[in-house]
Structure formats: C-alpha cells, structure tokens
Amino acid sequence: TVLISTIGYSQSSSQFMELATEKYNNGDYQGAIQDCSKAIILKPNNAELYYKRGIVYLTIGKNQQSAIEDFTKALQFLPKSSEIYWARGNAKKILNDLVGATIDLETAIKFDSKNFSAYRNLAEIKSLQGDYTSSVNYYDFYIENNATDDEIIIERGNVQTKRLRYKEALIDYNK
C-alpha cells in the first residue's frame, strides 16, 4: 500500500519552515501558521516547529491560547529551554495570567540567568501586581546587565513614582 500525502510529497518539513519564515517576514502570518502546521505534520516531534508556530501566534496577538499550547508541546521535547519558557510566559502575560507568566519567566531565568528579557517582563508583571520593590529590582538587574535603553529607564522611573520615591524617579527621568 502506498500512502500519498495531501501536503505534497516533494516538500520536506524544512522546506515548509523556509516558506513559513518567508511569509512571516512578509507579514503573512496566517500563511506562516499554515506552513508551520504542514511542517509539524511531517515532523510532529520537533520542538522548534511548535516553538516557531507559537511565536507566530504570539506575534499576531489574537490566539494566545494556541501559542501557549504550542510552547507547552515544545517544552515536552526541550524541557529546559529558557527561550520557550520566556515565550510562553509572554503569552500568559497577554492573557493576564500573571501568576502563570511569573512562574514561566522565573523558570526561564533558572535555565538561563542571562535571559534579560525575562527580567524586564517580570519587572512589568510585578508593577502590575503592585509589588513595586520587586519590579524596581528586576528593572535594576536588567539595566545593569543590558545596554541602557531610555524606555526601560523611564519605566523604572514610573515604578519609582508609584513607590513614592520621587528622587529616584527624577534621576531616571533625567538620564
């Protein structure tokens, strides 16, 4: 018995991912999702494929639950991936699951202490939760270990203002 793929027997998983990347870079996110899905059918045990499709969902911002499902599936194959925990944490943050996002972002840092984007996201979450001291601590770490970014310094100044630390806020605003 010969099985004929409905996807097209001449295309491989990597070819579909090349097409998906091209479509993603050109803003055709639905096309990128379709090609990622075709690649996953051909290679269902590949963490990178689930991760990349999850990133597309994360980028378009309309289906964060699908992004979370893809990141969770990717973590089954790469359970110590800081990058995947970071991405899933972002999707959870968008869905306002701040506790779940915090757990994922802290796990991302556990596996890669130089995942500075996780520190920044944790700073934002802690501010949203009203834990301004922790927020400033995460911002401090991010700023100390990353190129200074005016936007981040202003965000830290805003948190300092919420803490009623006006002197520290002014220092940030004047940088």
Side-chain angles (χ1 to χ4, degrees):
T1 304
V2 176
L3 296 176
I4 299 174
S5 171
T6 58
I7 293 174
Y9 60 90
S10 64
Q11 289 186 293
S12 69
S13 176
S14 61
Q15 288 171 320
F16 279 116
M17 283 314 299
E18 287 176 26
L19 290 170
T21 300
E22 184 178 317
K23 289 176 182 177
Y24 178 86
N25 290 338
N26 290 323
D28 179 6
Y29 301 124
Q30 290 305 319
I33 289 170
Q34 289 171 354
D35 285 338
C36 285
S37 297
K38 291 173 185 176
I40 288 169
I41 289 170
L42 294 172
K43 267 188 146 174
N45 296 326
N46 186 312
E48 182 181 8
L49 302 177
Y50 290 100
Y51 171 74
K52 287 185 176 183
R53 186 173 68 180
I55 290 295
V56 180
Y57 283 125
L58 186 63
T59 301
I60 60 177
K62 294 182 180 175
N63 197 343
Q64 298 309 308
Q65 193 56 48
S66 291
I68 291 168
E69 289 168 10
D70 276 347
F71 296 139
T72 300
K73 186 72 171 176
L75 286 167
Q76 290 176 0
F77 304 110
L78 288 173
K80 294 184 179 181
S81 172
S82 176
E83 189 175 355
I84 298 170
Y85 276 105
W86 171 82
R88 190 173 73 175
N90 283 337
K92 288 179 179 181
K93 178 181 164 212
I94 291 168
L95 290 177
N96 207 30
D97 176 6
L98 301 182
V99 173
T102 297
I103 291 167
D104 280 350
L105 294 168
E106 287 175 345
T107 303
I109 291 169
K110 173 184 164 191
F111 292 128
D112 179 5
S113 63
K114 295 184 186 212
N115 186 333
F116 299 118
S117 296
Y119 288 97
R120 178 182 179 180
N121 291 342
L122 281 167
E124 294 170 0
I125 289 170
K126 293 302 179 183
S127 179
L128 290 170
Q129 293 174 323
D131 184 355
Y132 304 126
T133 300
S134 293
S135 177
V136 167
N137 290 338
Y138 283 121
Y139 276 127
D140 286 346
F141 189 83
Y142 178 85
I143 292 167
E144 288 169 15
N145 292 283
N146 227 351
T148 54
D149 177 346
D150 292 339
E151 179 184 337
I152 301 303
I153 293 171
I154 289 170
E155 287 177 21
R156 183 177 65 182
N158 292 340
V159 174
Q160 293 287 25
T161 300
K162 291 176 184 176
R163 293 175 67 202
L164 307 177
R165 303 273 176 103
Y166 302 115
K167 182 178 177 183
E168 291 89 346
L170 285 173
I171 291 169
D172 281 344
Y173 294 144
N174 289 323
K175 286 187 178 179

